[in-house]
Amino acid sequence: MRIIAIDPGTRLTGYAIFEINNRSSTMTECGEVFVRGKDLPEKLLAIHRGIERLFRRVKPRQVVIERPFVGVSARDALTLNAARAVCMLAAAISKARVFEYAPAQVKKAVTGNGNAPKELVQHYAQVTLGLRERPEPDVADAIALALCHVNRL
């Protein structure tokens, strides 16, 4: 079974692809969908096209995405939710089942600390998977989402 975990963003959208076989999991790919465009509609279209291409190529059965986090700015939260919605739409079109986890839940599952900073999530993603380089923050968040989900299967 293939799982794609997505960390949506309007600048970069991180993703991680895991293959699950008999209780073992392997990350087969990770990366970023680069978002281009001047205004929000153009950026959302770029996210949708990139994620849809990824789904057509990989054909995931499950998609994991982070629950919304309001944080500092309500405006940023609304923009992020628009990006999430585009990713969820692509998942629905591909008939993949969507799972959501709260940011603190993901951080706690991966680092043991629900308030862990991004750098620690990056470190744990690198160490847990034996990666040569520390993944970019958006990719590390997607990896953490996938690990959180895989540990619950």
Side-chain angles (χ1 to χ4, degrees):
M1 168 175 61
R2 277 192 203 101
I3 295 171
I4 296 182
I6 302 171
D7 179 46
T10 55
R11 291 189 183 101
L12 293 171
T13 292
Y15 69 88
I17 302 169
F18 277 68
E19 189 74 37
I20 311 298
N21 292 313
N22 299 330
R23 296 270 181 215
S24 69
S25 63
T26 306
M27 185 176 73
T28 58
E29 181 182 337
C30 64
E32 296 169 320
V33 173
F34 294 96
V35 181
R36 290 176 175 74
K38 293 182 182 180
D39 58 8
L40 185 58
E42 288 177 358
K43 291 178 179 186
L44 294 176
L45 180 60
I47 294 167
H48 187 266
R49 284 181 176 158
I51 293 296
E52 197 172 48
R53 260 192 313 274
L54 185 64
F55 284 5
R56 274 196 310 268
R57 180 172 57 82
V58 175
K59 296 175 181 47
R61 286 192 40 211
Q62 297 182 355
V63 173
V64 186
I65 194 163
E66 202 169 67
R67 279 194 193 126
F69 174 71
V70 174
V72 179
S73 163
R75 180 175 173 245
D76 290 346
L78 289 171
T79 301
L80 178 60
N81 275 326
R84 284 181 75 252
V86 165
C87 293
M88 292 175 96
L89 173 64
I93 290 168
S94 72
K95 297 187 180 4
R97 187 168 173 208
V98 176
F99 294 84
E100 298 178 272
Y101 297 98
Q105 184 180 12
V106 173
K107 289 177 181 182
K108 184 167 177 102
V110 174
T111 70
N113 176 358
N115 294 314
K118 281 199 173 281
E119 295 80 15
L120 191 57
V121 173
Q122 289 174 274
H123 172 74
Y124 271 85
Q126 180 182 13
V127 170
T128 301
L129 297 176
L131 304 175
R132 290 183 204 170
E133 296 179 15
R134 184 172 283 189
E136 293 296 322
D138 297 311
V139 175
D141 286 349
I143 292 169
L145 274 164
L147 292 171
C148 177
H149 181 66
V150 165
N151 289 333
R152 285 173 167 62
L153 293 176

